[in-house]
Amino acid sequence: MRIMVDESGRKIFFDPKKNKKDMHTYLGIIRRSDIIRAKNGRTIKSHTGKKLKVFDADFRDRLKHLKRGPQIITPKDAGVISAYTGIGPGSRVVEAGAGSGAFTSYLANLVRPSGKVYSYERDERFYKLAKDNLSTMDLSKYVALKKGDVYEKIAQKNADLVFLDLPEPWNAIKNAEKALKPGGYFVCYLPTMNQIIRLIKALEKTNFEVFKVANIHEEIWQARCDALRPVTHDFRHTAFLVFSRLF
Ligand SMILES: C[S@@+](CC[C@H](N)C(=O)[O-])C[C@H]1O[C@@H](n2cnc3c(N)ncnc32)[C@H](O)[C@@H]1O
């Protein structure tokens, strides 16, 4: 995927897997071959002579262009999950449900090149969506996407992390325990406090130790020197995070 930036800073995205023809834009026609051949940061011109700088898209650019299905996990939560579990290159992670494949992509990007993400999704539509999005992200080879229900079975063993973004994680505690290595992490992402209470009550009867319940807030400021202040927006609750560890 590539990004073209015009002289006013406006951006055009180009995915060679999906854009098979020259692009017809507000700047005129931009030749597909020019976009593909341009070196990172070089300038090309449309047929009307308008200049565009061409850049290689990075992980974040690709993520913004994924097809959306179920609600995705946002960077503010993704960053904290990886920081508190120490997931990195070589890690083995079990995740469910894959949904839109957004968090699967974060995980795959962290564990590659030698690690693996085993991602379960029980709904056929979202299984296909996640598969398609992982291909757009160029991350399919680091993910084993499984059509399955984690309340019934998790086939993996010796995982470093089991992460669940689904409504009733207490139904998967036994399977998570069997899938984890000793000392492994079990993290759940839940929108309501009612779910948190039910999960913690269930975890108290097991070998999992809950070490953190967190609600991560992000305050975004507008980057304008003449009016440096928080962006005006409604407060958006995403979900709470429950971190536990198998001891
Ligand atoms: C909110 S979405 C996950 C979004 C995902 N974390 C992302 O960032 O794109 C929840 C998904 O869990 C799936 N799901 C619910 N219960 C499940 C289960 N028991 N096993 C596997 N998948 C399940 C749903 O079909 C849905 O696609």
Side-chain angles (χ1 to χ4, degrees):
M1 199 183 262
R2 308 212 84 185
I3 312 170
M4 289 171 281
V5 185
D6 75 11
E7 287 180 293
S8 73
R10 191 166 160 186
K11 297 175 188 70
I12 303 174
F13 287 84
F14 171 84
D15 183 349
K17 286 185 195 153
K18 291 179 184 146
N19 302 105
K20 296 288 181 194
K21 294 184 178 160
D22 294 344
M23 290 189 87
H24 291 250
T25 71
Y26 61 96
L27 296 174
I29 301 166
I30 309 169
R31 285 187 24 208
R32 186 177 189 273
S33 54
D34 288 349
I35 308 170
I36 289 173
R37 282 197 213 122
K39 291 213 172 101
N40 192 28
R42 297 302 274 267
T43 301
I44 60 170
K45 285 183 184 167
S46 70
H47 90 288
T48 57
K50 301 282 187 210
K51 289 184 186 164
L52 298 119
K53 272 193 189 174
V54 183
F55 297 90
D56 297 331
D58 66 9
F59 175 82
R60 212 177 120 257
D61 300 316
R62 287 197 291 271
L63 200 68
K64 273 201 233 162
H65 285 81
L66 292 188
K67 281 189 233 145
R68 294 292 182 96
Q71 187 60 44
I72 68 168
I73 290 180
T74 58
K76 75 172 176 72
D77 293 314
V80 170
I81 298 162
S82 62
Y84 280 109
T85 56
I87 291 306
S91 296
R92 279 168 62 78
V93 180
V94 173
E95 180 225 18
S100 304
F103 192 59
T104 324
S105 300
Y106 279 107
L107 290 169
N109 196 42
L110 286 168
V111 306
R112 69 179 179 169
S114 49
K116 194 99 184 174
V117 181
Y118 301 87
S119 183
Y120 287 78
E121 174 55 60
R122 69 179 179 186
D123 186 312
E124 181 71 28
R125 286 168 304 158
F126 303 138
Y127 171 83
K128 283 187 183 144
L129 175 68
K131 199 173 176 68
D132 195 28
N133 278 340
L134 287 165
S135 159
T136 304
M137 293 297 294
D138 265 338
L139 289 167
S140 304
K141 67 177 162 185
Y142 309 108
V143 180
L145 190 61
K146 315 251 174 215
K147 171 91 180 45
D149 187 329
V150 290
Y151 299 157
E152 285 166 18
K153 189 177 176 188
I154 297 177
Q156 288 62 45
K157 298 271 172 263
N158 221 25
D160 299 287
L161 165 68
V162 172
F163 174 80
L164 301 182
D165 173 10
L166 37 71
E168 297 178 340
W170 45 88
N171 289 333
I173 293 175
K174 282 209 177 84
N175 292 339
E177 186 168 355
K178 282 188 225 150
L180 282 167
K181 69 176 191 189
Y185 291 86
F186 179 46
V187 180
C188 299
Y189 184 79
L190 293 164
T192 71
M193 202 34 83
N194 315 59
Q195 290 163 298
I196 305 277
I197 293 167
R198 186 148 179 199
L199 175 65
I200 294 177
K201 269 192 183 154
L203 286 171
E204 276 171 357
K205 296 177 196 137
T206 68
N207 293 321
F208 285 104
E209 180 187 287
V210 178
F211 66 92
K212 186 179 285 288
V213 179
N215 189 11
I216 312 299
H217 296 283
E218 181 180 45
E219 184 177 287
I220 301 168
W221 287 45
Q222 57 187 23
R224 277 179 49 190
C225 286
D226 60 336
L228 197 55
R229 44 163 283 182
V231 170
T232 309
H233 66 293
D234 292 329
F235 172 75
R236 251 189 81 225
H237 170 65
T238 55
F240 301 96
L241 287 164
V242 180
F243 291 87
S244 63
R245 205 165 168 202
L246 186 62
F247 285 122

